[in-house]
Amino acid sequence: MRASDPLLLHFTAHGTADPPIVVSAEGLEVIDTEGNRHLDGLSSLFCAQLGYGHKEEMAQVAREQIETLPFHTNWNTAHTGAMELAERVTALAPSNINHAYFTSGGSESVETAYKLAVQYHVANGQPERRTVIARDLAYHGVTLGALAMTGVARFKDPFGPPALSVRHVSHTNLFRSGETEEELNARLLAELEATILEEGPETVAMVIAEPLQNAGGAFTPPEGYWAGLRDICDRHGVLLVADEVITGFGRLGEWFGVQRYGAAPDMITTAKGLTAAYAPMGAVLVSDKVAEPLYREGVTLLHGITFGGHPLAAALALRSLEIFEREGVLENVRAREPELRESLEALRELPIVGDVRGAGFFWALELTPDGGEGRFDAATVHELVKRYVPQRLREARLIARPDDRGDAVLHFSPPLVSDRATLDEMVSRIGDVLADAGKHVGARRAAAVASR
Ligand SMILES: Cc1ncc(COP(=O)(O)O)c(C=O)c1O
């Protein structure tokens, strides 16, 4: 990119990047300026749950909303669209959750959950409960409060001391743990409880965790983990927040990931898939327990976001949820998951694939030397994740995400309406790209040995 380009891109190395420029989208594909069609194996960063095939219907919804009520805020006033969406979305959530607070995106949802947690503790005479416990490597957003919860050091370090008091505990990486699932679960829960005790339970406001952690590569929770989190939080008066910015709205084959893992959190943070990406919107879904103090005489909810619950976004979210039901989107994810698992597992045959993990339509493949548990050196990770694999994916016309926030992984999260043939095609393209990546790494290794 050139210094004269006016558009600054998010998380992009402007000096070297040559990103694809997209002009339109159709079905399960996005189309670039040269007319190339790329299958979207990442749902536009985990957002486009329905792909891009509902344009006319959504355009009609948008048009009707703009002609009726282009905008109204939710600051000390309400509009029917946000009210209807709050009722609809909470009806899909676990039964202890009956309130919704709308935001404009995921970071805002995460910070809103923190402020609601603090207001809850203040109202209950425990104003010293301020500390958050999050997990290593987990990504919870980048505005300063959310960034404090994010566990990726290189995103945080340049910005100095975190804005909030946050302790990070281990994530649920079974592949690297060298333990059985049972041992991992016991160790993680013991570590969490020890951390709460070390901090002083009377100072801990909340624990935040994704049902299935994205950063690091689709870390699934061990059996019993979410029940364990609930139990520990309850015993120490700590609130439990499920960050479902990615897992919410069908990605794991349930409306919310916590439903797959049998958990009842105190709050659920959402964004991305809530409108199936037809408009920017987030929501914090709030339990009766956390909301109760807000209805007490004289208590004001000290938080407001001008566009939170925008009527246009609310109308599009409502229609998206209707489409989910009409087209059996959750059923599609559940029906396709076993086949998808099988075809991704088959890629373990490639010498560069060390692990395949995930659930629903939310997967990662870990790249390792010779398919074992070793690790590539930093230069090879850089070559793979920043250069070779992105380039080959573009040539293969597939959007997926190479990532090195933890070990080297390739994220794959297709739209939830993908049919079997398209999933097979996407997985076959991943296979081609990773087969070439394995050869490329092997050739580099051989060249390095020869030059010694
Ligand atoms: C789990 C999780 N939480 C929060 C966020 C932040 O969301 P946003 O980028 O909409 O602010 C993200 C973004 O990817 C996320 O994956």
Side-chain angles (χ1 to χ4, degrees):
M1 296 186 74
R2 297 154 314 182
S4 58
D5 289 337
L7 178 63
L8 292 176
L9 298 179
H10 306 220
F11 275 110
T12 301
H14 287 77
T16 49
D18 175 24
I21 299 170
V22 167
V23 282
S24 61
E26 277 168 22
L28 299 168
E29 293 177 319
V30 298
I31 299 153
D32 69 22
T33 40
E34 282 148 30
N36 300 315
R37 306 176 78 92
H38 304 258
L39 275 173
D40 187 356
L42 203 64
S43 308
S44 275
L45 213 50
F46 316 100
C47 297
Q49 316 297 71
L50 302 176
Y52 310 96
H54 298 82
K55 289 180 192 164
E56 273 175 38
E57 181 172 356
M58 289 306 215
Q60 180 68 20
V61 169
R63 183 180 183 91
E64 281 167 18
Q65 186 59 50
I66 289 168
E67 284 174 353
T68 314
L69 177 69
F71 179 60
H72 193 68
T73 176
N74 284 307
W75 286 60
N76 206 17
T77 170
H79 62 85
T80 50
M83 291 170 77
E84 200 185 325
L85 183 61
E87 195 172 328
R88 183 84 185 80
V89 145
T90 54
L92 305 174
S95 62
N96 63 321
I97 288 184
N98 290 301
H99 306 268
Y101 182 98
F102 292 113
T103 68
S104 313
S107 299
E108 282 180 6
S109 292
V110 165
E111 295 194 10
T112 299
Y114 174 76
K115 290 182 73 177
L116 287 169
V118 170
Q119 274 213 259
Y120 166 83
H121 291 306
V122 168
N124 290 321
Q126 299 191 302
E128 66 287 358
R129 282 193 184 267
R130 292 296 163 95
T131 296
V132 175
I133 299 185
R135 299 185 301 182
D136 292 333
L137 270 187
Y139 185 90
H140 295 293
V142 287
T143 52
L144 290 173
L147 186 66
M149 296 182 225
T150 287
V152 187
R154 72 172 188 267
F155 295 171
K156 298 153 68 91
D157 291 348
F159 304 101
L164 304 176
S165 161
V166 181
R167 285 284 303 268
H168 288 93
V169 294
S170 304
H171 47 62
T172 58
N173 185 348
L174 183 64
F175 177 60
R176 293 280 174 197
S177 81
E179 296 160 302
T180 64
E181 201 173 320
E182 223 176 352
E183 288 163 350
L184 174 68
N185 190 43
R187 176 171 63 79
L188 294 176
L189 295 177
E191 180 192 351
L192 173 66
E193 184 147 34
T195 307
I196 292 175
L197 292 170
E198 206 177 292
E199 281 295 311
E202 70 288 350
T203 66
V204 180
M206 62 186 243
V207 168
I208 185 164
E210 293 160 88
L212 192 159
Q213 180 172 320
N214 179 43
F219 296 143
T220 52
E223 180 77 37
Y225 180 74
W226 274 88
L229 294 187
R230 181 72 272 173
D231 174 52
I232 292 170
C233 287
D234 284 347
R235 280 192 284 106
H236 297 292
V238 172
L239 295 177
L240 178 59
V241 179
D243 185 350
E244 299 234 26
V245 167
I246 293 179
T247 52
F249 304 103
R251 186 133 307 272
L252 302 185
E254 300 284 344
W255 286 109
F256 299 99
V258 287
Q259 290 159 328
R260 180 165 180 146
Y261 301 120
D266 298 301
M267 286 183 271
I268 298 178
T269 52
T270 72
K272 296 189 188 275
L274 167 56
T275 63
Y278 279 88
M281 184 181 224
V284 185
L285 309 184
V286 183
S287 64
D288 295 333
K289 175 172 111 180
V290 173
E292 179 275 319
L294 302 172
Y295 293 87
R296 290 182 199 161
E297 191 69 31
V299 174
T300 299
L301 171 47
L302 296 173
H303 192 58
I305 291 162
T306 303
F307 282 145
H310 194 294
L312 185 58
L316 292 165
L318 278 164
R319 182 56 65 97
S320 167
L321 297 176
E322 195 183 309
I323 295 170
F324 259 72
E325 291 194 324
R326 191 176 76 212
E327 297 191 359
V329 173
L330 299 185
E331 291 77 1
N332 187 57
V333 175
R334 288 181 205 143
R336 301 272 87 81
E337 177 177 338
E339 308 154 1
L340 183 57
R341 181 183 296 276
E342 198 182 320
S343 59
L344 287 168
E345 284 286 346
L347 297 182
R348 283 182 189 269
E349 284 181 9
L350 295 172
I352 198 174
V353 175
D355 195 26
V356 175
R357 50 189 185 249
F361 277 19
F362 189 15
W363 291 86
L365 295 97
E366 186 161 333
L367 310 184
T368 66
D370 307 322
E373 288 176 19
R375 288 184 158 106
F376 288 117
D377 59 46
T380 308
V381 170
H382 188 269
E383 168 67 12
L384 279 173
V385 167
K386 302 291 184 205
R387 216 194 61 76
Y388 187 82
V389 175
Q391 178 59 33
R392 279 294 291 114
L393 285 167
R394 269 174 83 174
E395 288 163 8
R397 309 275 186 258
L398 176 72
I399 300 173
R401 185 195 199 186
D403 188 24
D404 64 349
R405 282 174 289 186
D407 290 302
V409 294
L410 182 68
H411 296 277
F412 176 57
S413 259
L416 308 185
V417 291
S418 304
D419 56 21
R420 178 160 194 182
T422 312
L423 291 172
D424 284 349
E425 179 58 33
M426 291 191 204
V427 173
S428 145
R429 292 188 198 183
I430 290 177
D432 291 346
V433 169
L434 293 185
D436 288 350
K439 288 182 204 144
H440 179 67
V441 168
R444 271 169 57 93
R445 210 184 290 144
V449 170
S451 69
R452 265 187 218 140

